[in-house]
Amino acid sequence: MKIYHIFVVLSVVFLLAQCALKQNKDSIYTTESVSLMNFKKLNISVPEGAYNSYMHLQVYKDSLLYGINPASPYTIAVFNLKLQRFERNIPLESHLFKEKPGAFYVHQPDSIFITGTNYPTVQIVSGQGNIINKFNLRDLGLNKECVLPALFHYTSPYYDPAHKQLFLTMLPLDWDQLGANSRNFTQAVFDLSTKKMIAEFAPIQGTNRGVLPYDLNIPYRLVEGETIYISYPTKEVIEIYDRNTFVKKSEKRLISDDDIALIEPLSANKAQDEQELWNYRITVPFYEPIFYHSDSRCFSRIWHHPQELKPDGRTLNDGSDRVATLFIYDSNFNILKKQKFTNGLYGVRRAVPLSEGVLFAPHEKYWISEDSLSLRFIFHL
């Protein structure tokens, strides 16, 4: 399929002049100043039995991309980004899971943490899919019913080998019915050496104003050095926690842009209407997580702009023309620069951080073919 042209604004003096590049399968369309040197294009063939798109994925050391496709939940596919090729499949034994595998985290190629879906278990498997260890979170001190989100890689487990601590994101079962005064913690920390839960932090508070869809009600976690950053899909404010005490130190409002306006929650009545809920989910603006890029020593955050419904008020846009802005921040979260992507080039929830950039896929409409990996652009910060 063809992607639209790149329009490069060369300088402030020439803001009204756009340079149309030759249209081809690798062209890009954007309205902000961009150097073609910022982009690297990948073309990785996908063999029979593997998939070209993965919602839950991770890149290990800028080299190996791991992904579980919901259509094949007992297989982890591995792609080599450096060599631009498919490496192998890691088969998972279905009997190891009460239900399907959920989220995963690659600590090392031979040590992969996998949570259960709607069941409080964590498996550690080898690079061949053999079980190394297994933990039932109830045995480690979890004493409440909760959901371990698994749809997107942003809620993956995280293992800190220096402290032998496992971080998990969880939501209460009644996440969509919380009152304004409710306080339920979304982050839990387990010490795997003592086999005990040692902390809960980052409360989620309900609202009496309405309901947010599932994936917009899950905080994002980033552990970096001695600090933990909690960000939110529908809030500009981030929370900063001490890595060792798990106590909140401060909050910071990330200034993004004058034209960013976050939407009000959906009313309880409309949330019962599937069409209204889906319309809201498609049109609502939201943030993706804060990423840290160690080589570039900066943070980034993606903002997906709102979309309008089609004229009949019921038919949904397909998202192929959705606008996204990538904000790049210094260590104090001052904006260094921003980059706007139009025409669905930056696909929703199709980005994964690298040490010096972001790997991403465009909207489905602009994938080359089913035989090529959809994650095909690296944007260097």
Side-chain angles (χ1 to χ4, degrees), residues 37-90:
M37 297 300 293
N38 285 351
F39 286 92
K40 178 180 179 180
K41 303 182 189 72
L42 305 177
N43 189 4
I44 301 177
S45 297
V46 175
E48 185 177 356
Y51 294 86
N52 75 329
S53 177
Y54 297 87
M55 296 297 287
H56 192 118
L57 46 81
Q58 179 191 336
V59 173
Y60 178 78
K61 292 191 174 180
D62 286 1
S63 179
L64 298 177
L65 183 146
Y66 294 75
I68 293 181
N69 191 295
S72 182
Y74 296 104
T75 301
I76 298 178
V78 186
F79 295 86
N80 191 312
L81 300 180
K82 301 290 186 183
L83 301 178
Q84 298 195 40
R85 71 186 186 193
F86 173 81
E87 288 285 346
R88 66 186 187 279
N89 281 322
I90 301 175

Side-chain angles (χ1 to χ4, degrees), residues 297-366:
R297 296 184 181 181
C298 63
F299 295 88
S300 67
R301 195 184 198 188
I302 302 161
W303 161 255
H304 291 284
H305 294 234
Q307 296 182 108
E308 295 182 357
L309 291 178
K310 290 184 177 180
D312 61 10
R314 305 289 288 181
T315 306
L316 296 175
N317 292 316
D318 63 7
S320 61
D321 61 350
R322 187 157 192 167
V323 177
T325 299
L326 173 67
F327 294 96
I328 303 170
Y329 303 91
D330 65 15
S331 58
N332 294 315
F333 291 105
N334 300 307
I335 292 181
L336 296 174
K337 56 182 177 179
K338 60 184 180 180
Q339 173 62 50
K340 184 176 288 186
F341 300 85
T342 61
N343 285 352
L345 173 65
Y346 215 125
V348 172
R349 301 197 186 280
R350 298 191 184 279
V352 60
L354 305 175
S355 61
E356 60 177 3
V358 182
L359 171 69
F360 66 94
H363 183 273
E364 291 92 331
K365 183 176 180 179
Y366 305 114

Side-chain angles (χ1 to χ4, degrees), residues 4-148:
Y4 292 90
H5 303 72
I6 286 182
F7 285 88
V8 182
V9 180
L10 297 177
S11 67
V12 175
V13 177
F14 299 105
L15 281 175
L16 297 179
Q18 293 180 323
C19 298
L21 303 180
K22 182 179 179 182
Q23 185 178 7
N24 55 47
K25 288 184 178 180
D26 292 327
S27 61
I28 302 169
Y29 179 96
T30 182
T31 57
E32 297 266 329
S33 179
V34 161
S35 166
L36 291 178
M37 297 300 293
N38 285 351
F39 286 92
K40 178 180 179 180
K41 303 182 189 72
L42 305 177
N43 189 4
I44 301 177
S45 297
V46 175
E48 185 177 356
Y51 294 86
N52 75 329
S53 177
Y54 297 87
M55 296 297 287
H56 192 118
L57 46 81
Q58 179 191 336
V59 173
Y60 178 78
K61 292 191 174 180
D62 286 1
S63 179
L64 298 177
L65 183 146
Y66 294 75
I68 293 181
N69 191 295
S72 182
Y74 296 104
T75 301
I76 298 178
V78 186
F79 295 86
N80 191 312
L81 300 180
K82 301 290 186 183
L83 301 178
Q84 298 195 40
R85 71 186 186 193
F86 173 81
E87 288 285 346
R88 66 186 187 279
N89 281 322
I90 301 175
L92 302 175
E93 296 292 336
S94 60
H95 72 271
L96 298 178
F97 300 89
K98 184 173 182 178
E99 298 182 37
K100 294 186 299 184
F104 73 91
Y105 173 73
V106 181
H107 168 51
Q108 296 176 346
D110 209 40
S111 181
I112 304 172
F113 290 75
I114 308 175
T115 62
T117 299
N118 299 324
Y119 192 73
T121 61
V122 177
Q123 315 265 6
I124 306 177
V125 302
S126 69
Q128 290 72 46
N130 300 317
I131 188 168
I132 298 173
N133 210 335
K134 179 179 180 178
F135 301 96
N136 186 315
L137 300 180
R138 300 197 191 285
D139 296 337
L140 304 188
L142 182 66
N143 59 5
K144 61 183 180 181
E145 297 293 329
C146 60
V147 176
L148 300 179

Side-chain angles (χ1 to χ4, degrees), residues 151-166:
L151 185 58
F152 302 108
H153 59 285
Y154 305 146
T155 55
S156 296
Y158 172 73
Y159 179 64
D160 180 348
H163 296 81
K164 295 184 178 180
Q165 292 173 356
L166 178 66

